[in-house]
């Protein structure tokens, strides 16, 4: 079994030495983690074997020979948060899948991921929204992801990109049928314009007008990867972004209340008005 505590410690060592202004040395880390100094030295050796250029220099302490690239940083963050969450936080998506599928949840996740990596089709028995079960449905799995508190698998079915709730998979069967997988860049682009969840490959350019207090609240955050915020002399600001769902943005705008106004597109403005009127109708 993997020593998750060791992996967590090693990632923390990398993070701490990126900005090691205090000159942390192996002996300091040994005291911090209540272990032997030799354990820390072995950690540094293992990290170097993984391609992390971390060294202990006399007089300077532990540091990196070069900056880590974006791919390395993302990989370390994903591993670290995954380990930390499994130990300390409530992971709704994982708890749901384990509660419903029990030990088969691991089998299903592993089978899907193997087929993603091998580019092989999967036959699934899937429970639809109507509780009707589709048996022997062939999908080409592309990526497993979390969205809206559930584990889902993005897949191609009959030439269309779709998503499936993993908790609704009663059976998965790996086949030997190969398929041509889109590039990782193409798959990443499918998520690049998502707001709350992946809902399709269509994109929409939106423009919102912000007033206080929303300018101060939203300006420091990154709601959308593509967002651009422009402040104006009249005390308002404009937020522009590209998204893949007008409905999700409309719901978000309505929930903000006063101070967030839709400028474009007209369809988004229409959805906001309809949602707001519908909510008000509950109190007439």
């Amino acid at each position: 079994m993997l020593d998750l505590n060791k992996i967590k410690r090693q990632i923390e060592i990398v993070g701490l030495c990126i900005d090691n202004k205090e000159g942390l040395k192996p002996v300091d880390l040994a005291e911090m983690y209540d272990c032997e100094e030799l354990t820390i030295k072995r950690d540094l050796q293992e990290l170097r074997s993984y391609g992390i250029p971390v060294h202990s220099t006399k007089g300077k302490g532990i540091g990196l020979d070069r900056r880590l690239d974006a791919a390395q940083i993302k990989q370390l963050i994903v591993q670290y948060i995954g380990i930390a969450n499994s130990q300390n936080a409530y992971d709704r998506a994982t708890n749901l899948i384990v509660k419903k599928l029990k030990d088969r949840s691991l089998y299903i996740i592993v089978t899907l991921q193997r087929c993603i990596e091998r580019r092989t089709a999967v036959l699934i028995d899937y429970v639809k929204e109507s509780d009707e079960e589709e048996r022997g449905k062939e999908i080409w799995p592309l990526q497993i992801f979390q969205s809206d508190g559930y584990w889902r698998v993005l897949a191609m079915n009959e030439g269309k990109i779709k998503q499936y709730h993993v908790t609704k998979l009663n059976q998965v069967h790996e086949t030997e049928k190969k398929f041509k997988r889109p590039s990782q860049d193409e798959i990443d682009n499918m998520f690049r314009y998502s707001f709350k969840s992946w809902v399709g490959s269509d994109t929409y350019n939106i423009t919102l007008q912000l007033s206080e207090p929303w300018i101060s609240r939203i300006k420091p955050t990154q709601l959308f990867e593509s967002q651009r915020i422009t402040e104006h002399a009249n005390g308002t600001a404009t937020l522009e972004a590209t998204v893949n769902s007008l409905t999700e943005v409309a719901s978000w705008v309505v929930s903000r209340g006063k101070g967030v106004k839709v400028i474009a597109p007209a369809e988004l403005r229409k959805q906001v008005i309809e949602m707001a009127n519908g909510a008000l109708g509950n109190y007439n």
Side-chain angles (χ1 to χ4, degrees), residues 24 38 51 54 61 81 87 92 116 126 128 136 154 168 197 200 227 248 259 262 267 273:
L24 287 172
L38 183 59
V54 59
I81 291 177
Q87 295 176 338
R92 179 176 185 268
I116 289 169
Y126 186 73
K128 299 166 64 177
L154 187 72
K168 293 186 176 184
S197 61
Q227 79 179 33
E248 287 188 342
V262 176
E267 176 59 27
I273 293 170

Side-chain angles (χ1 to χ4, degrees), residues 60-77:
K60 293 184 178 179
I62 301 172
L64 297 174
D65 291 348
R66 59 172 172 78
R67 296 174 70 92
L68 300 179
D69 60 40
Q72 289 175 309
I73 295 170
K74 286 193 289 186
Q75 186 179 42
L76 290 172
I77 289 175

